[in-house]
Amino acid sequence: MNSYVTGTTIKTLREKQHMTQNELADLIGVSHKTISKWETAKGLPDITLLEPLAKALGISVCELLSGEYIVNGNVSANIVKSKLYVCPVCGNIIHSVGEALVSCCGISLPALEVEETDDAHAIEIERVENDYCITLPHEMRKHHYLSFVAYATTDKFDMIKLYPEGNARVRFPVKGHGQIYYYCNKHGLFAKKI
């Protein structure tokens, strides 16, 4: 990560927990003067204190370092509203049900935004008995291919990984209304409601 915890972040989170500098200091085993130094940008917490500091402030170490704490407003976790992330270095695919701070290969990843569908990224969905048969007439070459196809409903998320020079056809058992997501390594994420 390219950032380190700031005094403003520590102070904001401490106040949000309705804690005094003394109370926070007691929780992590430092003096209240140390907390004051951190909050006024006259010092930084040692790396060994990040985990206890994050725990005392009720957030993850990643949230503490980024200064962006995540509040899950989507407690019911409707999977259709999933967030997807793809690492540009290793190709790792990460799925989250709500807001998340995601990093891979040392890079903070933004959630993918659904792109406007065009002719090159059209999708054909046919229902055959109890399956959706999905055909994606997209080239599947080494440098331009579809990486995955996923089917999300309110309570399930299924993903099928695709590979270059493979077939861009998949089948999913019908589970009701939802969304099909598919990801082109050059043009991004696309989606179609079913």
Side-chain angles (χ1 to χ4, degrees):
M1 298 194 141
N2 296 331
S3 60
Y4 200 74
V5 64
T6 66
T8 305
T9 300
I10 295 170
K11 183 176 182 179
T12 302
L13 292 169
R14 177 182 59 77
E15 289 174 347
K16 187 176 172 100
Q17 295 289 329
H18 306 289
M19 233 186 292
T20 66
Q21 287 181 345
N22 284 336
E23 290 170 331
L24 178 58
D26 289 344
L27 281 173
I28 63 173
V30 299
S31 72
H32 73 280
K33 289 180 182 179
T34 300
I35 302 295
S36 178
K37 284 181 186 177
W38 295 346
E39 291 183 359
T40 57
K42 293 178 183 163
L44 294 170
D46 186 78
I47 196 162
T48 60
L49 293 172
L50 292 183
E51 194 170 331
L53 179 60
K55 185 176 180 183
L57 296 172
I59 61 170
S60 71
V61 173
C62 287
E63 291 170 311
L64 179 63
L65 288 172
S66 72
E68 297 178 21
Y69 43 95
I70 307 300
V71 177
N72 186 5
N74 185 15
V75 179
S76 63
N78 185 336
I79 295 177
V80 173
K81 297 176 183 175
S82 291
K83 304 279 185 196
L84 294 161
Y85 306 80
V86 175
C87 178
V89 177
C90 70
N92 193 10
I93 304 162
I94 301 157
H95 165 246
S96 94
V97 177
E99 293 296 322
L101 182 62
V102 176
S103 69
C104 188
C105 297
I107 301 167
S108 290
L109 303 177
L112 297 173
E113 292 184 22
V114 175
E115 302 293 332
E116 195 75 32
T117 306
D118 57 17
D119 291 341
H121 297 93
I123 182 173
E124 298 169 13
I125 302 172
E126 181 182 358
R127 186 169 176 163
V128 177
E129 296 177 5
N130 292 325
D131 287 343
Y132 285 125
C133 297
I134 300 169
T135 305
L136 301 124
H138 188 283
E139 68 177 288
M140 294 293 285
R141 305 217 183 270
K142 189 174 182 180
H143 298 291
H144 189 198
Y145 59 93
L146 295 174
S147 176
F148 67 85
V149 180
Y151 174 27
T153 62
T154 56
D155 61 350
K156 293 202 189 272
F157 186 89
D158 290 331
M159 182 185 303
I160 297 174
K161 176 76 174 113
L162 301 175
Y163 297 94
E165 299 167 11
N167 195 344
R169 281 189 180 159
V170 297
R171 288 177 81 118
F172 290 106
V174 173
K175 291 182 228 108
H177 297 289
Q179 188 115 299
I180 298 291
Y181 293 101
Y182 50 107
Y183 179 76
C184 170
N185 73 317
K186 284 193 174 189
H187 300 105
L189 184 69
F190 297 88
K192 181 168 183 159
K193 289 185 181 185
I194 54 171

